Amino acid sequence: MKQQIHIKKLSEKAIIPSYGSEFAAGADLYACLDEPVTIAPHETKMIHTNIALEIPEGFAGLVYARSGLASKRNLAPANKVGVIDSDYRGEIMVALHNHGETEQTVDHGERIAQLVITPYLTAEFVTTDTLSDTVRGSGGFGSTGTK
């Protein structure tokens, strides 16, 4: 299923998100920088993409780590998953955090995160005095075992 997403380049240097393979769920987001950005160990820096999106109502953009960047260079979004609401029209930026012990440099045009466009439901929260019973009940963290 394909969904048209209007995109605005805020700079001529901006790179339109692209999919790495035919069935990729996430489109790569690219750094749009005037000069390389160095991120010290345990530091977070905002990395510009210089793009803005018009996400349709009923959809959201979710910004996830790129697995190679996270596992090989210890760089991942600081907020773990960024949420872009359909009414946001500003620049998409990635709060990239260095989880490692050595500084990392991000260059212009580098793939820094991936964007998944997904539908969502808006809940209507209704208060009640009772909830339906389940086998699990109120068992929380670790209650279903480890194996």
Side-chain angles (χ1 to χ4, degrees), residues 67-100:
S67 57
L69 197 64
S71 63
K72 295 176 183 173
R73 294 185 48 205
N74 294 307
L75 294 174
N79 55 342
K80 306 305 179 212
V81 178
V83 178
I84 305 167
D85 298 312
S86 63
D87 59 350
Y88 177 69
R89 295 293 184 271
E91 179 187 5
I92 305 304
M93 295 199 310
V94 177
L96 210 53
H97 184 78
N98 182 351
H99 293 274

Side-chain angles (χ1 to χ4, degrees), residues 31 33 36-37 39 47 73 75 96 104-108 110 112:
L33 307 169
V37 172
I39 307 173
I47 306 297
R73 294 185 48 205
L75 294 174
L96 210 53
Q104 296 290 326
T105 300
V106 177
D107 295 312
H108 172 74
E110 190 168 342
I112 55 169

Side-chain angles (χ1 to χ4, degrees), residues 18-129:
S18 64
Y19 292 94
S21 69
E22 181 181 2
F23 298 108
D28 291 325
L29 293 174
Y30 297 85
C32 187
L33 307 169
D34 292 326
E35 57 189 36
V37 172
T38 298
I39 307 173
H42 311 291
E43 180 180 42
T44 300
K45 290 216 175 152
M46 298 301 286
I47 306 297
H48 293 268
T49 67
N50 272 295
I51 60 166
L53 303 172
E54 185 176 324
I55 298 173
E57 185 178 332
F59 290 81
L62 303 179
V63 179
Y64 292 100
R66 293 194 70 251
S67 57
L69 197 64
S71 63
K72 295 176 183 173
R73 294 185 48 205
N74 294 307
L75 294 174
N79 55 342
K80 306 305 179 212
V81 178
V83 178
I84 305 167
D85 298 312
S86 63
D87 59 350
Y88 177 69
R89 295 293 184 271
E91 179 187 5
I92 305 304
M93 295 199 310
V94 177
L96 210 53
H97 184 78
N98 182 351
H99 293 274
E101 299 301 327
T102 59
E103 68 181 26
Q104 296 290 326
T105 300
V106 177
D107 295 312
H108 172 74
E110 190 168 342
R111 296 175 296 171
I112 55 169
Q114 57 183 322
L115 172 68
V116 176
I117 304 294
T118 187
Y120 67 88
L121 299 173
T122 301
E124 178 182 346
F125 298 100
V126 179
T127 58
T128 182
D129 292 331

Side-chain angles (χ1 to χ4, degrees), residues 8-15 32 34 49-51 108:
K8 181 178 180 182
K9 289 176 74 171
L10 304 176
S11 158
E12 281 300 315
K13 296 184 344 177
I15 302 169
C32 187
D34 292 326
T49 67
N50 272 295
I51 60 166
H108 172 74

